[in-house]
Every structure is written in C-alpha cells, then in structure tokens.
Amino acid sequence: MQIALWRDMLDPYYLAVDELLVKFNHIISSYHREGKYSPIEEVNGRVKSISSMLDKARRKKIPIDQLEQNLDDIAGIRIICQFVEDIYKVAGLIRTRKDMEIKIEKDYIANPKPSGYRSYHIIVWYKVETISGTRKIPVEIQIRTLAMNFWATIEHSLQYKYRSQMPKDLSDKLKSSAQSIVQLDSEMSLVRDEIMDAQNSSRIRDNLINDILNDIQNLYKVANKREVEKIQDEFFKVYQKEDIVLLRRFSEQLNITVEDYGAQSL
Ligand code: 0O2
C-alpha cells in the first residue's frame, strides 16, 4: 500500500466494514423481530488506523508497500456474544453465507494465546463494488463473549502502554484473570437456557405490547373514539396483570377488531 495514497487505498475497507455492520445488525434484528434469542449480542467494526498498520508492519517486518498483501485485519469486525456456545453458532452461520468466503479460521478459545487471549477469528474474503470495479478484500471477524471482550480490551490497553515490556507481575495477573474469565464463561453457560428463556419472554412481551399499541393507534384513526378508549383501558388492565398468555389473547382479539375495521394498512 502506498502510504501517500492511504485514503484511496482504505476506501474499499471502509465500504466492507459498513456493509458487514449492516448485515450483522440485520441478523440481530431478524432474531429479535421473531421474538427469538440472538446469538449475536452486538457488533462493531473498524478500519485499522494507519499508525496501528505501521506498528504491525514494523513488528512483522512487512515492507510498507506490501501492507495490503500481508495484513488480513485492515478491515475488522468484532462480534460480541453472551455465551461461548453462541460463538460457534455464529461461526457456523458465517460459514453458510454466500457473500463471505472463508480464508482462515483461528480458534483461540480451544487454543488460547500465551497471553491468555481467547477469541474465535475468521478471516473471510469479501467482495465490494467500488467505482473502479469489484474488489475482493480480506476482513478479520473476531467473535468473543462479553467476558472475553472485557479481558481483551483491558489487556490490549496495557499492551499498548508497555509495548513489549509488560512487567512480569502484571502479565501474571492478566493470565490469572484470563482463567477467571474461562470460569465465568463456563458458569454462565450452565444457566444459558434459563437466561435465554428470560430474554425471549421479555422480547416476546415487548413485541406484543408494541403490536397492541400500533393496533390501538391505527384504530384511533378509523373507529369510534370512545370504543378505542375502552380498548385502551382494557389493555391497561391486562398489562397490569403481568400475564403473557392474557396479553397474547388480548392482542389476537384486537387483531380481529382491527381486521374488521380494515385498519391494518394504516
Ligand atoms: P489491534 O490493535 O487489535 O489491531 P499471525 O500472522 O496470524 O500470527 P496476527 O495477524 O497478529 O498474527 O493475527 P492474530 O494473532 O490472530 O491477531 C489478530 C488480532 O487479534 C490482533 O490484532 C488483536 O486485535 C487480537 N489479539 C491477538 N492476540 C491478542 C492478545 O494477546 N491480546 C489482545 N488483547 N488481543 C489480541 P493486532 O493488529 O495485533 O492489534
């Protein structure tokens, strides 16, 4: 990569990160819309900063004009999951996609780094359409739990502070806290089903309340105001009972009323 033209060079990488963020966020919202647990908790992305690229080039003895050919993580996506099991589910999901071609997979969960770092990395080939044509570029997707991310973020800041000279007592502390993270992740996995159930119920309830309020709002435009206010009062009574079955029944009945008024398309 010619550093003088770095802005132009990095353009396809920015596009890839933007597109992939849209796609992974869409996966999250699709699960949520269906009232389902999403294996992806959140996703973020970045294009590696020039200074970080230069640092890596120096560390790995990569000639400056060969950065693009040698760095797989100029475009980076980070997927955060709640549980270790979700990481492998997300990796499976990525493998099935037609818009990403696997280049390399690195399982630093089964084989943690000497530092204690754990994460699942997949490097994919991803095609972007630019004004100069199609570009196929590598994108590094790091998949990790919230707990792994907490550890990696802190360790990364310390690595940055000490460069390659981290005091031994500090690196020992980090290794031991990495073990605590392993323990925490495996304890959380034991209650995964219960946590997923709780989160699903809460999401289903949110979706139901949203649908009901939309229906009431639509009815308000076409039905008798007093009747709509009566429906709203009934809704508040059902809502206060904190019973999902009653809420679902109310929503179904309201749907029929809405259909009778032909108000769905409003
Ligand atoms: P930054 O600043 O996050 O971008 P390889 O040629 O495969 O041996 P490479 O390309 O460094 O080496 O790949 P590797 O080892 O899979 O690491 C890629 C990225 O994973 C790193 O990018 C970090 O983001 C993260 N990572 C790897 N090891 C550690 C670690 O010990 N601690 C933390 N906190 N993160 C780690 P960069 O460019 O090194 O850093």
Side-chain angles (χ1 to χ4, degrees):
M1 175 159 69
Q2 294 171 10
I3 291 296
L5 296 174
W6 63 271
R7 264 185 227 278
D8 296 349
M9 300 294 176
L10 291 183
D11 199 51
Y13 296 90
Y14 277 102
L15 179 58
V17 169
D18 286 349
E19 285 186 12
L20 286 167
L21 286 177
V22 168
K23 290 179 178 184
F24 283 114
N25 274 314
H26 187 260
I27 294 177
I28 302 178
S29 54
S30 302
Y31 275 106
H32 289 176
R33 212 178 29 254
E34 289 186 17
K36 285 187 187 155
Y37 171 84
S38 167
I40 302 178
E41 176 64 14
E42 61 179 65
V43 57
N44 44 61
R46 61 100 185 95
V47 171
K48 207 173 180 68
S49 68
I50 285 281
S51 69
S52 173
M53 278 191 251
L54 294 178
D55 287 349
K56 197 158 181 170
R58 197 176 43 194
R59 215 168 57 233
K60 293 191 168 249
K61 305 197 174 16
I62 300 168
I64 294 298
D65 59 350
Q66 284 171 29
L67 277 181
E68 260 193 300
Q69 295 91 311
N70 288 283
L71 292 188
D72 277 339
D73 65 342
I74 296 180
I77 295 289
R78 188 166 291 155
I79 293 179
I80 309 295
C81 306
Q82 296 193 60
F83 304 100
V84 179
E85 293 79 354
D86 299 333
I87 295 177
Y88 293 100
K89 188 161 180 191
V90 175
L93 207 144
I94 291 172
R95 280 183 217 115
T96 64
R97 292 195 63 114
K98 300 273 181 292
D99 53 350
M100 299 171 210
E101 181 196 325
I102 307 287
K103 182 178 182 217
I104 312 168
E105 292 193 42
K106 302 180 200 172
D107 187 347
Y108 295 130
I109 299 170
N111 307 295
K113 289 225 164 182
S115 60
Y117 176 77
R118 287 159 68 240
S119 208
Y120 197 94
H121 292 192
I122 304 185
I123 307 205
V124 294
W125 287 113
Y126 184 74
K127 279 187 193 156
V128 284
E129 298 300 327
T130 71
I131 50 169
S132 354
T134 307
R135 285 283 314 274
K136 187 171 160 181
I137 56 170
V139 178
E140 182 185 74
I141 306 177
Q142 300 184 341
I143 320 170
R144 45 171 89 149
T145 62
L146 288 157
M148 290 173 195
N149 192 45
F150 170 59
W151 183 93
T153 305
I154 286 169
E155 197 261 0
H156 190 272
S157 324
L158 291 170
Q159 257 187 37
Y160 181 78
K161 177 174 176 191
Y162 292 103
R163 299 284 163 172
S164 52
Q165 285 147 12
M166 183 153 355
K168 185 169 178 320
D169 62 328
L170 192 53
S171 67
D172 285 348
K173 274 198 192 98
L174 284 166
K175 277 180 202 150
S176 119
S177 60
Q179 275 314 307
S180 310
I181 296 291
V182 175
Q183 176 79 7
L184 175 65
D185 271 333
S186 65
E187 280 173 22
M188 284 299 158
S189 286
L190 294 177
V191 288
R192 179 172 182 256
D193 287 347
E194 204 159 322
I195 296 172
M196 276 168 57
D197 266 3
Q199 291 176 352
N200 279 344
S201 308
S202 144
R203 215 159 276 127
I204 289 170
R205 183 175 170 276
D206 282 357
N207 287 353
L208 275 174
I209 291 176
N210 218 16
D211 288 350
I212 291 171
L213 291 178
N214 267 340
D215 281 349
I216 292 178
Q217 172 123 17
N218 284 341
L219 270 181
Y220 203 78
K221 293 172 194 154
V222 289
N224 177 295
K225 305 263 176 300
R226 212 168 284 161
E227 193 189 338
V228 181
E229 275 160 19
K230 230 171 84 192
I231 293 174
Q232 187 175 288
D233 291 344
E234 275 172 47
F235 162 66
F236 278 125
K237 277 187 209 142
V238 174
Y239 168 79
Q240 275 158 5
K241 288 195 176 129
E242 301 256 352
D243 184 333
I244 192 97
V245 178
L246 288 181
L247 205 58
R248 185 171 290 125
R249 203 171 300 149
F250 181 86
S251 170
E252 285 162 3
Q253 275 164 1
L254 183 59
N255 248 320
I256 296 170
T257 314
V258 168
E259 269 172 32
D260 287 347
Y261 275 99
Q264 303 100 313
S265 54
L266 285 175

